Each structure stands twice: as structure tokens, then as C-alpha cells.
Amino acid sequence: MATTTLPTPADLQIKPHDRRFGRKAQLSRLWHGGQVEATAIYNALSTTFPAGEAFFVESVRAFRDGAPPKLAEEIKAFTTQEAIHSREHDAFNKRAADAGYDLTKLEQQVEHRLSFTRSRTPIAHLAATMGLEHFTAIFAHQLLANPRHLAGADPETAELWRWHSYEEIEHKGVAYDTWLHATRHWSRWKRWKIKAKVMLLTSRNFVVDRTTGAIELMRQDGVTGARAWARLLWYLWVHPGMFRKIAGAWGRYFLPGFHPWNEDDRHLLRVYEANADSAPEPERKVRRAV
Ligand SMILES: [Fe+2]
Ligand SMILES: [Fe+2]
């Protein structure tokens, strides 16, 4: 039988923190520092989470039978974390709609992509999830490492993004380890080929869909045409340049021997715990969403 050595830290404990954000006050429309393009791209990203993270959970849980006990526990914690993220982003999206945005087109696009992915095999679902989880983890790393990304944002909404980022880093190896377990009898070449192909397709769709989604939301704020594209592309690729800053980490996914925990970035979690408005309470028990 093929064996796999997982670089996920042996002492890593994934603990869901059941928090709620923004239930008390109305969201101001341009919540991200009054900037149309910043608000638009974060709103576009948030639109993907309720349905997208439910899909991640389905994809990973389809392979939990026979998983080693530590991985099985991690899958449970991952499921709980993603269920709570979905709930909080669903609540956020409703507040963005109350602030005047029509998210229907963006939500339809997410459903369109998901229905295509669901028509493929369960292992392709897992490969897509693993790719998007890498995307999420490197985005989360950059968000926590560089305060410029959320500078000027509404404090509670910024905290929603930081809390989500914290948990994404914590569980960043779960989909990958599930994949390594599910494909343990495959050759390294076959694993790499499927993983790379799915990542390329998923990344293209992700970048195109989020960018066009943000352009649609900017249109709803009266910013259109070349002006909208220039402002958004500058924001994403130049300053603060989230997409440019995660490009190197994205590329490492294709290297032989890649694993999300090849980079141990738990120092960001410690910094978050020390500075958060309401730091996660590691011992707090939350209802299992499984
Ligand atoms: Fe999440
Ligand atoms: Fe995740």
C-alpha cells in the first residue's frame, strides 16, 4: 500500500469559533473606507462563500470514510468552521443587499460554476475544493500579514474577514490531506496532472468571475467602463495588490512536494489572537454543524 507522510503539524488543533458579526448595526454601503472598488471586490468574494463553502464541505466529507482518526477529526472541525463561515457571509451578503446592492447576478454565476463542477466526478470535486482552499489560505495569509488590505474598513466587517482568515489558515491542510488519502494508490504523475489541470481551470474561473462580479457592483455605484476597470485592476494588482502578492504562493501549488503546511504560518494566528477585538476563545465549545 502506498504511504504518505503528511507535513500538517502534529500539534495543530482546529477549533471552530462560533462568532457573529454585524447583527446590531446597518452596514454602510461603501463599508471599505468609502472606496467603490475595495467594497466591490470584497462583496464579490463574500457572495461566493455561502454556496461555495457548502460545496467544499460536501466534497471533503465524501471521502471521510476510512480516513485516519486525526484526519477524520480535522474533517469534522473543518465542516463546522465552514458551516459557520457560510452563515456569517450569508448574513453579511444580506446586509450588503440591504445597503442597496443587487447580488443576484453574482449569486447566479456562483451557482452556474457549481452546477458545472457538480456534474464531474467526486474526486474532481475534491480537487476543485483543494485548489480553492489553497486560494483561500494564501488570501487569508496576505490579509492577516498586511494590514493595508483592510485599512479604513468598517471595524466589525474587517473583523469578520480576519476571523475567517484565521480559521482558513488553521484548516488549510484538510482538503489537501483528504486528497492525499483519497488518491493514495495513484501514481505521483496522475495526482499532479489532475491537481494542476483542475487548479488552472478553477483559478481562471475564480479570477474572471470575481473581477467581473466586482465590475458589476461598481456599475451599481455609477463607476463604469475603462475607469472602473482601471481602478479595480490597480487595486487588485498594484496597490494594495492582493492578487499580485499571492501570485508566488499560488505558483508553489504546482511544485513537486507541495503541501499547504510547507509554509507554517501559525505565527499569524498568534498575532491575531493577541490583537483581535474579541480574540478567539480556544476552549469554547460550539455546536457541531455535522
Ligand atoms: Fe471558510
Ligand atoms: Fe476553508
PDB file of all heavy atoms in Angstrom, residues 76-96:
ATOM      1  N   LYS A  76     -14.118  16.913  10.599  1.00  0.00           N
ATOM      2  CA  LYS A  76     -15.268  17.363  11.407  1.00  0.00           C
ATOM      3  C   LYS A  76     -15.128  18.843  11.762  1.00  0.00           C
ATOM      4  O   LYS A  76     -16.069  19.621  11.643  1.00  0.00           O
ATOM      5  CB  LYS A  76     -15.319  16.576  12.723  1.00  0.00           C
ATOM      6  CG  LYS A  76     -16.187  15.367  12.687  1.00  0.00           C
ATOM      7  CD  LYS A  76     -16.406  14.921  14.129  1.00  0.00           C
ATOM      8  CE  LYS A  76     -16.742  13.460  14.179  1.00  0.00           C
ATOM      9  NZ  LYS A  76     -16.772  12.949  15.550  1.00  0.00           N
ATOM     10  N   ALA A  77     -13.942  19.219  12.226  1.00  0.00           N
ATOM     11  CA  ALA A  77     -13.713  20.616  12.626  1.00  0.00           C
ATOM     12  C   ALA A  77     -13.798  21.545  11.409  1.00  0.00           C
ATOM     13  O   ALA A  77     -14.366  22.638  11.483  1.00  0.00           O
ATOM     14  CB  ALA A  77     -12.353  20.747  13.304  1.00  0.00           C
ATOM     15  N   PHE A  78     -13.267  21.098  10.281  1.00  0.00           N
ATOM     16  CA  PHE A  78     -13.332  21.858   9.023  1.00  0.00           C
ATOM     17  C   PHE A  78     -14.794  22.103   8.644  1.00  0.00           C
ATOM     18  O   PHE A  78     -15.204  23.217   8.299  1.00  0.00           O
ATOM     19  CB  PHE A  78     -12.596  21.041   7.949  1.00  0.00           C
ATOM     20  CG  PHE A  78     -12.885  21.420   6.522  1.00  0.00           C
ATOM     21  CD1 PHE A  78     -12.188  22.449   5.910  1.00  0.00           C
ATOM     22  CD2 PHE A  78     -13.829  20.716   5.766  1.00  0.00           C
ATOM     23  CE1 PHE A  78     -12.430  22.787   4.580  1.00  0.00           C
ATOM     24  CE2 PHE A  78     -14.069  21.046   4.441  1.00  0.00           C
ATOM     25  CZ  PHE A  78     -13.371  22.090   3.842  1.00  0.00           C
ATOM     26  N   THR A  79     -15.598  21.044   8.741  1.00  0.00           N
ATOM     27  CA  THR A  79     -17.020  21.127   8.394  1.00  0.00           C
ATOM     28  C   THR A  79     -17.721  22.169   9.260  1.00  0.00           C
ATOM     29  O   THR A  79     -18.486  22.997   8.770  1.00  0.00           O
ATOM     30  CB  THR A  79     -17.666  19.738   8.598  1.00  0.00           C
ATOM     31  OG1 THR A  79     -17.023  18.832   7.716  1.00  0.00           O
ATOM     32  CG2 THR A  79     -19.140  19.749   8.334  1.00  0.00           C
ATOM     33  N   THR A  80     -17.414  22.136  10.557  1.00  0.00           N
ATOM     34  CA  THR A  80     -18.053  23.088  11.475  1.00  0.00           C
ATOM     35  C   THR A  80     -17.609  24.511  11.146  1.00  0.00           C
ATOM     36  O   THR A  80     -18.431  25.434  11.077  1.00  0.00           O
ATOM     37  CB  THR A  80     -17.693  22.740  12.937  1.00  0.00           C
ATOM     38  OG1 THR A  80     -18.034  21.377  13.157  1.00  0.00           O
ATOM     39  CG2 THR A  80     -18.454  23.609  13.916  1.00  0.00           C
ATOM     40  N   GLN A  81     -16.310  24.684  10.922  1.00  0.00           N
ATOM     41  CA  GLN A  81     -15.827  26.034  10.617  1.00  0.00           C
ATOM     42  C   GLN A  81     -16.478  26.568   9.343  1.00  0.00           C
ATOM     43  O   GLN A  81     -16.966  27.701   9.312  1.00  0.00           O
ATOM     44  CB  GLN A  81     -14.300  26.031  10.443  1.00  0.00           C
ATOM     45  CG  GLN A  81     -13.557  25.884  11.765  1.00  0.00           C
ATOM     46  CD  GLN A  81     -12.049  26.069  11.619  1.00  0.00           C
ATOM     47  OE1 GLN A  81     -11.486  25.780  10.573  1.00  0.00           O
ATOM     48  NE2 GLN A  81     -11.403  26.513  12.673  1.00  0.00           N
ATOM     49  N   GLU A  82     -16.507  25.751   8.297  1.00  0.00           N
ATOM     50  CA  GLU A  82     -17.057  26.239   7.024  1.00  0.00           C
ATOM     51  C   GLU A  82     -18.562  26.515   7.137  1.00  0.00           C
ATOM     52  O   GLU A  82     -19.060  27.460   6.512  1.00  0.00           O
ATOM     53  CB  GLU A  82     -16.786  25.241   5.887  1.00  0.00           C
ATOM     54  CG  GLU A  82     -15.316  25.032   5.556  1.00  0.00           C
ATOM     55  CD  GLU A  82     -14.582  26.241   4.968  1.00  0.00           C
ATOM     56  OE1 GLU A  82     -14.863  27.383   5.370  1.00  0.00           O
ATOM     57  OE2 GLU A  82     -13.692  26.031   4.132  1.00  0.00           O
ATOM     58  N   ALA A  83     -19.262  25.710   7.932  1.00  0.00           N
ATOM     59  CA  ALA A  83     -20.709  25.952   8.099  1.00  0.00           C
ATOM     60  C   ALA A  83     -20.933  27.307   8.772  1.00  0.00           C
ATOM     61  O   ALA A  83     -21.835  28.062   8.387  1.00  0.00           O
ATOM     62  CB  ALA A  83     -21.330  24.829   8.927  1.00  0.00           C
ATOM     63  N   ILE A  84     -20.088  27.632   9.746  1.00  0.00           N
ATOM     64  CA  ILE A  84     -20.248  28.927  10.436  1.00  0.00           C
ATOM     65  C   ILE A  84     -19.835  30.075   9.506  1.00  0.00           C
ATOM     66  O   ILE A  84     -20.477  31.123   9.471  1.00  0.00           O
ATOM     67  CB  ILE A  84     -19.461  28.937  11.766  1.00  0.00           C
ATOM     68  CG1 ILE A  84     -19.969  27.831  12.696  1.00  0.00           C
ATOM     69  CG2 ILE A  84     -19.595  30.291  12.464  1.00  0.00           C
ATOM     70  CD1 ILE A  84     -19.091  27.577  13.916  1.00  0.00           C
ATOM     71  N   HIS A  85     -18.787  29.855   8.700  1.00  0.00           N
ATOM     72  CA  HIS A  85     -18.393  30.899   7.732  1.00  0.00           C
ATOM     73  C   HIS A  85     -19.541  31.170   6.757  1.00  0.00           C
ATOM     74  O   HIS A  85     -19.823  32.317   6.431  1.00  0.00           O
ATOM     75  CB  HIS A  85     -17.157  30.472   6.920  1.00  0.00           C
ATOM     76  CG  HIS A  85     -15.948  30.185   7.750  1.00  0.00           C
ATOM     77  ND1 HIS A  85     -14.836  29.554   7.254  1.00  0.00           N
ATOM     78  CD2 HIS A  85     -15.685  30.453   9.049  1.00  0.00           C
ATOM     79  CE1 HIS A  85     -13.937  29.435   8.210  1.00  0.00           C
ATOM     80  NE2 HIS A  85     -14.426  29.963   9.308  1.00  0.00           N
ATOM     81  N   SER A  86     -20.150  30.090   6.267  1.00  0.00           N
ATOM     82  CA  SER A  86     -21.271  30.258   5.327  1.00  0.00           C
ATOM     83  C   SER A  86     -22.373  31.102   5.964  1.00  0.00           C
ATOM     84  O   SER A  86     -22.907  32.018   5.334  1.00  0.00           O
ATOM     85  CB  SER A  86     -21.877  28.899   4.949  1.00  0.00           C
ATOM     86  OG  SER A  86     -21.009  28.221   4.087  1.00  0.00           O
ATOM     87  N   ARG A  87     -22.691  30.781   7.202  1.00  0.00           N
ATOM     88  CA  ARG A  87     -23.753  31.520   7.909  1.00  0.00           C
ATOM     89  C   ARG A  87     -23.396  33.004   8.025  1.00  0.00           C
ATOM     90  O   ARG A  87     -24.222  33.882   7.756  1.00  0.00           O
ATOM     91  CB  ARG A  87     -23.933  30.914   9.310  1.00  0.00           C
ATOM     92  CG  ARG A  87     -25.050  31.545  10.113  1.00  0.00           C
ATOM     93  CD  ARG A  87     -24.951  31.179  11.590  1.00  0.00           C
ATOM     94  NE  ARG A  87     -23.838  31.853  12.225  1.00  0.00           N
ATOM     95  CZ  ARG A  87     -23.253  31.457  13.363  1.00  0.00           C
ATOM     96  NH1 ARG A  87     -23.685  30.386  13.982  1.00  0.00           N
ATOM     97  NH2 ARG A  87     -22.244  32.146  13.875  1.00  0.00           N
ATOM     98  N   GLU A  88     -22.159  33.287   8.419  1.00  0.00           N
ATOM     99  CA  GLU A  88     -21.766  34.690   8.616  1.00  0.00           C
ATOM    100  C   GLU A  88     -21.682  35.460   7.296  1.00  0.00           C
ATOM    101  O   GLU A  88     -22.017  36.642   7.243  1.00  0.00           O
ATOM    102  CB  GLU A  88     -20.454  34.775   9.398  1.00  0.00           C
ATOM    103  CG  GLU A  88     -20.640  34.424  10.864  1.00  0.00           C
ATOM    104  CD  GLU A  88     -21.805  35.186  11.494  1.00  0.00           C
ATOM    105  OE1 GLU A  88     -21.762  36.429  11.570  1.00  0.00           O
ATOM    106  OE2 GLU A  88     -22.785  34.531  11.902  1.00  0.00           O
ATOM    107  N   HIS A  89     -21.229  34.809   6.243  1.00  0.00           N
ATOM    108  CA  HIS A  89     -21.172  35.528   4.955  1.00  0.00           C
ATOM    109  C   HIS A  89     -22.561  35.666   4.351  1.00  0.00           C
ATOM    110  O   HIS A  89     -22.842  36.651   3.666  1.00  0.00           O
ATOM    111  CB  HIS A  89     -20.172  34.866   3.996  1.00  0.00           C
ATOM    112  CG  HIS A  89     -18.766  35.261   4.329  1.00  0.00           C
ATOM    113  ND1 HIS A  89     -18.192  36.420   3.863  1.00  0.00           N
ATOM    114  CD2 HIS A  89     -17.855  34.693   5.145  1.00  0.00           C
ATOM    115  CE1 HIS A  89     -16.972  36.539   4.358  1.00  0.00           C
ATOM    116  NE2 HIS A  89     -16.737  35.502   5.144  1.00  0.00           N
ATOM    117  N   ASP A  90     -23.431  34.713   4.629  1.00  0.00           N
ATOM    118  CA  ASP A  90     -24.819  34.849   4.188  1.00  0.00           C
ATOM    119  C   ASP A  90     -25.440  36.071   4.885  1.00  0.00           C
ATOM    120  O   ASP A  90     -26.107  36.895   4.241  1.00  0.00           O
ATOM    121  CB  ASP A  90     -25.585  33.561   4.542  1.00  0.00           C
ATOM    122  CG  ASP A  90     -26.976  33.557   3.933  1.00  0.00           C
ATOM    123  OD1 ASP A  90     -27.091  33.898   2.744  1.00  0.00           O
ATOM    124  OD2 ASP A  90     -27.941  33.242   4.658  1.00  0.00           O
ATOM    125  N   ALA A  91     -25.177  36.210   6.176  1.00  0.00           N
ATOM    126  CA  ALA A  91     -25.692  37.367   6.926  1.00  0.00           C
ATOM    127  C   ALA A  91     -25.082  38.658   6.378  1.00  0.00           C
ATOM    128  O   ALA A  91     -25.772  39.666   6.207  1.00  0.00           O
ATOM    129  CB  ALA A  91     -25.385  37.204   8.413  1.00  0.00           C
ATOM    130  N   PHE A  92     -23.782  38.621   6.089  1.00  0.00           N
ATOM    131  CA  PHE A  92     -23.125  39.803   5.536  1.00  0.00           C
ATOM    132  C   PHE A  92     -23.739  40.168   4.175  1.00  0.00           C
ATOM    133  O   PHE A  92     -24.011  41.345   3.892  1.00  0.00           O
ATOM    134  CB  PHE A  92     -21.611  39.587   5.380  1.00  0.00           C
ATOM    135  CG  PHE A  92     -20.949  40.726   4.657  1.00  0.00           C
ATOM    136  CD1 PHE A  92     -20.604  41.885   5.338  1.00  0.00           C
ATOM    137  CD2 PHE A  92     -20.733  40.674   3.283  1.00  0.00           C
ATOM    138  CE1 PHE A  92     -20.046  42.972   4.666  1.00  0.00           C
ATOM    139  CE2 PHE A  92     -20.177  41.755   2.608  1.00  0.00           C
ATOM    140  CZ  PHE A  92     -19.826  42.907   3.295  1.00  0.00           C
ATOM    141  N   ASN A  93     -23.950  39.157   3.333  1.00  0.00           N
ATOM    142  CA  ASN A  93     -24.489  39.426   1.992  1.00  0.00           C
ATOM    143  C   ASN A  93     -25.881  40.061   2.072  1.00  0.00           C
ATOM    144  O   ASN A  93     -26.231  40.926   1.271  1.00  0.00           O
ATOM    145  CB  ASN A  93     -24.529  38.135   1.159  1.00  0.00           C
ATOM    146  CG  ASN A  93     -23.137  37.574   0.916  1.00  0.00           C
ATOM    147  OD1 ASN A  93     -22.129  38.267   1.116  1.00  0.00           O
ATOM    148  ND2 ASN A  93     -23.050  36.317   0.505  1.00  0.00           N
ATOM    149  N   LYS A  94     -26.651  39.624   3.067  1.00  0.00           N
ATOM    150  CA  LYS A  94     -27.989  40.232   3.255  1.00  0.00           C
ATOM    151  C   LYS A  94     -27.842  41.704   3.649  1.00  0.00           C
ATOM    152  O   LYS A  94     -28.610  42.560   3.212  1.00  0.00           O
ATOM    153  CB  LYS A  94     -28.769  39.467   4.317  1.00  0.00           C
ATOM    154  CG  LYS A  94     -29.220  38.100   3.822  1.00  0.00           C
ATOM    155  CD  LYS A  94     -30.268  37.478   4.758  1.00  0.00           C
ATOM    156  CE  LYS A  94     -30.880  36.238   4.139  1.00  0.00           C
ATOM    157  NZ  LYS A  94     -30.075  35.020   4.283  1.00  0.00           N
ATOM    158  N   ARG A  95     -26.820  41.997   4.461  1.00  0.00           N
ATOM    159  CA  ARG A  95     -26.612  43.398   4.858  1.00  0.00           C
ATOM    160  C   ARG A  95     -26.151  44.229   3.663  1.00  0.00           C
ATOM    161  O   ARG A  95     -26.534  45.388   3.522  1.00  0.00           O
ATOM    162  CB  ARG A  95     -25.598  43.495   6.008  1.00  0.00           C
ATOM    163  CG  ARG A  95     -26.118  42.927   7.311  1.00  0.00           C
ATOM    164  CD  ARG A  95     -25.387  43.480   8.522  1.00  0.00           C
ATOM    165  NE  ARG A  95     -23.955  43.205   8.501  1.00  0.00           N
ATOM    166  CZ  ARG A  95     -23.410  42.031   8.771  1.00  0.00           C
ATOM    167  NH1 ARG A  95     -24.184  41.010   9.085  1.00  0.00           N
ATOM    168  NH2 ARG A  95     -22.104  41.869   8.756  1.00  0.00           N
ATOM    169  N   ALA A  96     -25.322  43.624   2.806  1.00  0.00           N
ATOM    170  CA  ALA A  96     -24.884  44.350   1.597  1.00  0.00           C
ATOM    171  C   ALA A  96     -26.089  44.611   0.693  1.00  0.00           C
ATOM    172  O   ALA A  96     -26.210  45.691   0.093  1.00  0.00           O
ATOM    173  CB  ALA A  96     -23.811  43.553   0.857  1.00  0.00           C
TER     174      ALA A  96
END
